[in-house]
Every structure is written in C-alpha cells, then in structure tokens.
Amino acid sequence: MPLTLPLAELEVGKHLYWQLGNLKIHGQVFLSSWVVIGALLALVVVGTRKLERDPRGTQNLLEFVWDYIRDLSREQIGEKAYRDWMPFIGTLFLFIFVSNWGGALVPWKLIHLPSGELGAPTADINTTIALALLVSLAYFYAGLSRKGLRYFEYYVEPTPIMLPFKIVEDFTKPLSLSFRLFGNILADELVVAVLAFLVPLIVPLPAMFLGLFTSAIQALIFATLAAYYIGEAVHEEHH
Amino acid sequence: MTSWLLLAEAGVPEGGLFDLDATLPLMAVQVVLLTFILNSLFFRPVGRAVEDRESFISTSRAEAKQKLAQVERLEADLREQLKDARQQSQKLILEAEQEMDRLYREALALATAEANASREQARREIDAQRDQAMTQLNIDADKLGDLIVSRLLATP
C-alpha cells in the first residue's frame, strides 16, 4: 500500500487469536475480561469480608451499589419477581460498567500484544452478542418458568395482529442491545484514540470525559433494558 | 493495512470488526459463571446484611414505640397517684387543723371551768370564814357588853 496513514496503528479489527482445539477465540478480549472480573471479585471479596450492621469502608460502597441495582430491577421487573433476577441484572450492569470504565481508564496501551490490542471487553462484538443472547434466554426462561405456556399469550396481546411484530421483536431485542453497546464503546475508544493520536495533549480530554459518561450510561441502559424485557415477560395481565 | 474501515467492510478471513467465533459462547459461559459467583459473594450476603438491618430497625422502632406508650401510661398513672396523694395530704392537714382547734377549745373550756370552780370555792370559803368570824365577833361583843353592863351595875 502506498498510503500508510498513522490511523493504521489503531489496529481495529485485529485480534490476538488463541487456538482452543479447532476453535479460535479472541485472546485480548478474554485477557481484559479477566482483569475486569478480577477487579470486580477483588472489590466484592474485600467489601464483604466482614459485613457489619454499621457499615464501614467498602461495605458502604457495596451496599450503595446493591441498593442501586435493587431499585433498578424492582422498578423494571416488579415487586414479585425481581429477587430472582436481581443477581443477573446486577452482574450485567457491573460487568459492563467495569468493562467500559476499565477500557477507558486503564492504560492498556502500555501492554504490547503480538497482535491486536487490549481494551474494553465490551468493544468486541462477541461479548456484546453473548450478553444480549443471555438476556434473550433470560426473559424467555423468566416468562416460561413463571407462566408456563401461557407466556405465549403475550404474543397475541392485545390483539393477534401483534403476533408478527412480537416475533420480530424477539430478534430485534438482542440485535439492538448488542449493537448499541458495541457501537458506543468502540466508537468512544476510536474517537479517543484518534484524537490522542492527532493531538496528544489536552484535546482528547473532553472526549475522554464524554466517553466515561457514555460508558456509564450504556451500562445503565443495557441493564435497564434487560430488566425491562424480563419484567415484560413475567408481567401478569389483569383481566 | 490502510484503514480500519476497509477491514470492517471487506470481511477479511482473518480478523475484522464483526469476527464472530468461539469467543461468544465462552464469554456467555463466563458471564453466567460470574453471575453465580457474584450472587453468592455479593448479592446474597449484602442483601442479607441490608435486610437484617432493615428488620432490626423496624423491630427497634416498634419496640421503642411500645416502650414509649408504656412510659406514657406509667406517667399518667403516677400523675394520678400524685394528685390523689396531694388531695389526701390536704385532707389530712385540714383534719389535723380542725382536730387541734377542737382540742384547744376543749382544753380552754376545761381550764376556764376549773378556774371558775376554784374561784367560786375560794369565795365560798372566804364567805364562810367571814361569817364565822362575824359570828364570833358578835358573840365576843355580846359577851363584852354583858360584862360591861354587869360591871357597871355591880359598882355602886
């Protein structure tokens, strides 16, 4: 190629491939996700080591997070079923939130990989599709386990005309969930990377702050929508 | 390697933005595992701590309310008792005053009567003695008169 733009250094779409039998996986995604999971678990283990009635230190933070997640899931899923789904919603929120912020705050560039580069695990389409499919499975399971086959009444309510739309929704829900998260996080990382590459001083800072804001909002949106879908599935029509 | 856009669009066999492979199911398994781990390490214990505290607070509140009601009842009770005792003591004081007054009057009457009696007696005694003395004096005077008369008559 005659034209070598500095942008090529960003190495988007390059992956560190690991071979697992005859399966290929993206090593950099797993590496950064392990860092994220490790950080989460470390925080949780440190914070819950000695739970007291008068909370102190990390317990305060954890209780705040717990309360936040409880309010979120209770509001979306409803009083009756939220307890079963709170851990799932909470894990989605925490994992995405820590991934996004980890991608923005941890100086991954200092670690050189043979191929590809480390970043937020949520900037990889595999991760977001995995999360979105889990949400789909979760709301199907929630509806079927709570209402049995009556769950499918939901597809013809309020009128059978809704049937095709509701079926299409089952496909658009995971699609929009995964692409929204993936697109936002990837775009944020690219904007910051490009700006930092062009003007490595001060100029990328507003974009970085905006990125932190977007990252937090995306985690909230994903968790809220997941909870909303589950809530929709377990919702009892009052006849 | 010119631009990442080319990579994204061309669908190069190696890599690309939309390169789906075994990362997807493994990541899903990882997240499910994380859900269970966080459930047992975070959501359940913290939830228990928070709910324990909430129930502790509500029972403490109920207990405090109950105790407050009890205290108020006791206070009213004691107030009633205090009022009764005050009335009782007032009555006792009044009674004692009346009693004292009565006793004073009685004693005064008795003393007056006694004094009158002894004065009366003294006067009677004085009178008797005077009468006696007068009688004696009369007798003596009579005797003396008789003597004088006899002497005058005897002299010639």
Side-chain angles (χ1 to χ4, degrees):
Chain A
M1 297 268 179
L3 190 70
T4 41
L5 283 174
L7 276 181
E9 302 271 325
L10 288 175
E11 297 194 332
V12 173
K14 287 180 83 178
H15 304 291
L16 172 69
Y17 284 103
W18 288 348
Q19 199 76 29
L20 217 73
N22 53 359
L23 298 172
K24 275 192 203 161
I25 60 175
H26 295 171
Q28 88 277 13
V29 177
F30 280 100
L31 284 177
S32 50
S33 77
W34 292 337
V35 172
V36 166
I37 290 171
L40 263 178
L41 289 184
L43 177 74
V44 162
V45 167
V46 167
T48 57
R49 207 186 308 141
K50 210 172 59 170
L51 288 174
E52 289 172 62
R53 206 165 60 201
D54 303 336
R56 55 183 64 233
T58 328
Q59 196 190 339
N60 278 311
L61 174 70
L62 286 186
E63 282 193 11
F64 169 74
V65 171
W66 189 89
D67 223 40
Y68 184 74
I69 292 168
R70 177 177 67 168
D71 288 350
L72 192 153
S73 39
R74 186 160 57 185
E75 206 159 288
Q76 301 300 333
I77 300 178
E79 197 62 54
K80 266 183 265 173
Y82 84 94
R83 267 161 206 284
D84 301 339
W85 294 101
M86 202 186 126
F88 180 60
I89 303 298
T91 307
L92 284 178
F93 176 75
L94 289 175
F95 180 69
I96 296 172
F97 182 78
V98 178
S99 290
N100 294 352
W101 273 39
L105 293 176
V106 180
W108 300 106
K109 300 259 194 264
L110 299 181
I111 306 161
H112 286 282
L113 297 179
S115 166
E117 58 186 17
L118 291 169
T122 39
D124 189 284
I125 189 78
N126 289 286
T127 311
T128 61
I129 290 183
L131 295 173
L133 286 180
L134 283 180
V135 171
S136 294
L137 286 179
Y139 78 72
F140 268 109
Y141 175 74
L144 288 173
S145 67
R146 188 155 274 262
K147 299 201 261 185
L149 287 178
R150 275 199 311 113
Y151 167 65
F152 293 105
E153 285 175 4
Y154 158 77
Y155 285 86
V156 289
E157 270 165 3
T159 72
I161 302 167
M162 294 302 286
L163 183 64
F165 301 104
K166 298 244 170 153
I167 291 172
V168 167
E169 256 190 359
D170 279 335
F171 292 96
T172 55
K173 276 171 182 172
L175 202 68
S176 65
L177 272 182
S178 56
F179 273 78
R180 181 185 308 112
L181 182 59
F182 165 69
N184 271 289
I185 302 310
L186 184 74
D188 167 47
E189 286 199 347
L190 282 180
V191 166
V192 171
V194 168
L195 278 181
F197 202 85
L198 296 176
V199 197
L201 210 66
I202 299 173
V203 177
L205 275 178
M208 284 173 168
F209 279 116
L210 184 68
L212 286 181
F213 180 68
T214 327
S215 300
I217 292 289
Q218 285 309 317
L220 176 64
I221 289 176
F222 197 100
T224 309
L225 280 177
Y228 173 74
Y229 295 154
I230 292 171
E232 208 177 33
V234 299
H235 178 67
E236 292 282 354
E237 250 352 291
H238 294 290
H239 294 291
Chain B
M1 223 41 64
T2 15
S3 147
W4 58 273
L5 271 174
L6 282 180
L7 277 173
E9 282 166 357
V12 212
E14 274 286 279
L17 270 182
F18 302 101
D19 180 31
L20 295 175
D21 53 18
T23 312
L24 195 159
L26 280 178
M27 186 57 81
V29 170
Q30 203 169 267
V31 171
V32 170
L33 283 180
L34 182 66
T35 305
F36 284 106
I37 293 170
L38 280 186
N39 186 32
S40 60
L41 285 186
F42 173 44
F43 292 103
R44 235 167 326 136
V46 172
R48 206 180 307 126
V50 171
E51 272 154 17
D52 278 357
R53 181 179 317 121
E54 277 168 3
S55 70
F56 168 74
I57 288 172
S58 66
T59 52
S60 311
R61 267 177 81 102
E63 263 173 31
K65 226 174 239 173
Q66 209 176 345
K67 274 183 185 157
L68 191 68
Q70 202 178 348
V71 164
E72 271 165 3
R73 217 170 46 234
L74 278 176
E75 201 192 349
D77 211 32
L78 286 176
R79 222 180 268 279
E80 195 66 29
Q81 279 185 21
L82 194 67
K83 217 171 77 187
D84 278 1
R86 237 177 230 155
Q87 276 174 354
Q88 202 81 26
S89 66
Q90 211 67 32
K91 219 169 75 188
L92 273 178
I93 288 169
L94 205 69
E95 268 174 15
E97 274 176 352
Q98 281 171 350
E99 176 79 9
M100 204 183 65
D101 203 39
R102 196 176 56 80
L103 283 176
Y104 169 71
R105 276 166 208 283
E106 269 179 20
L108 192 66
L110 202 68
T112 317
E114 243 170 45
N116 283 345
S118 60
R119 205 172 57 199
E120 203 62 31
Q121 200 188 349
R123 206 177 53 215
R124 267 201 307 275
E125 266 173 25
I126 289 168
D127 284 355
Q129 281 179 10
R130 201 176 52 200
D131 285 353
Q132 206 183 343
M134 281 301 248
T135 329
Q136 191 67 43
L137 215 58
N138 279 342
I139 293 168
D140 282 358
D142 282 353
K143 254 189 211 165
L144 218 56
D146 285 350
L147 195 61
I148 291 167
V149 168
S150 65
R151 280 262 179 104
L152 282 176
L153 290 177
T155 41

